[in-house]
Amino acid sequence: QERLVESGGGSVQPGGSLRLSCVYSDFTFKYYAIGWFRQAPGKEREGVSCINSNDGSDGQTSYADSVKGRFTISRDTAKNTVYLQMNNLKPEDTGIYYCAADPVCWNGEFDYWGQGTQVTVSS
């Protein structure tokens, strides 16, 4: 059973929007940070955004400079889900988007990963 499952990817035109969802089946991930990463063809995986747990870290969020002002990460603890709202999408946002879990954002390699969802931005 996958512990993290992404959904919501698809194909959109530049300027469009998508909302990605990351559902975690392990209730302990409620106390974990959840990060979003992406990997474009021929490029290394990069961190996009991260949200800490609401316990202790007050749900702090962070974003890569390339997505600030366009992407918003949020968490619905009742649904065991973390969302990534992506607005004003650009062709360079194209890639496979993964969510991952770790005790704290950006504290080394994330421990648990989903299978990814494809996002394609093209006219």
Side-chain angles (χ1 to χ4, degrees), residues 19-21 36 72-74 76 79 81-85:
R19 188 177 77 159
L20 305 184
S21 298
W36 282 99
T72 303
I73 191 170
S74 62
D76 186 336
K79 296 182 178 181
T81 302
V82 171
Y83 302 99
L84 185 69
Q85 177 67 44

Side-chain angles (χ1 to χ4, degrees), residues 37-46 94-98 118:
F37 298 78
R38 67 187 180 191
Q39 187 164 21
K43 294 187 177 181
E44 292 187 354
R45 187 177 64 203
E46 62 173 339
T94 294
I96 300 175
Y97 282 68
Y98 302 89
Q118 176 71 46

Side-chain angles (χ1 to χ4, degrees), residues 45-116:
R45 187 177 64 203
E46 62 173 339
V48 174
S49 183
C50 190
I51 185 167
N52 275 312
S53 69
N54 293 333
D55 298 332
S57 300
D58 296 328
Q60 290 180 332
T61 60
S62 57
Y63 301 90
D65 288 342
S66 59
V67 306
K68 281 182 181 177
R70 300 188 297 123
F71 290 12
T72 303
I73 191 170
S74 62
R75 181 194 293 255
D76 186 336
T77 55
K79 296 182 178 181
N80 287 355
T81 302
V82 171
Y83 302 99
L84 185 69
Q85 177 67 44
M86 306 187 296
N87 298 328
N88 190 21
L89 283 161
K90 303 176 180 180
E92 51 264 41
D93 294 319
T94 294
I96 300 175
Y97 282 68
Y98 302 89
C99 65
D102 202 65
V104 180
C105 285
W106 315 129
N107 188 34
E109 181 70 20
F110 277 58
D111 291 334
Y112 306 96
W113 292 82
Q115 294 299 306

Side-chain angles (χ1 to χ4, degrees), residues 6-22:
E6 304 94 335
S7 64
S11 296
V12 295
Q13 294 186 338
S17 298
L18 286 172
R19 188 177 77 159
L20 305 184
S21 298
C22 172

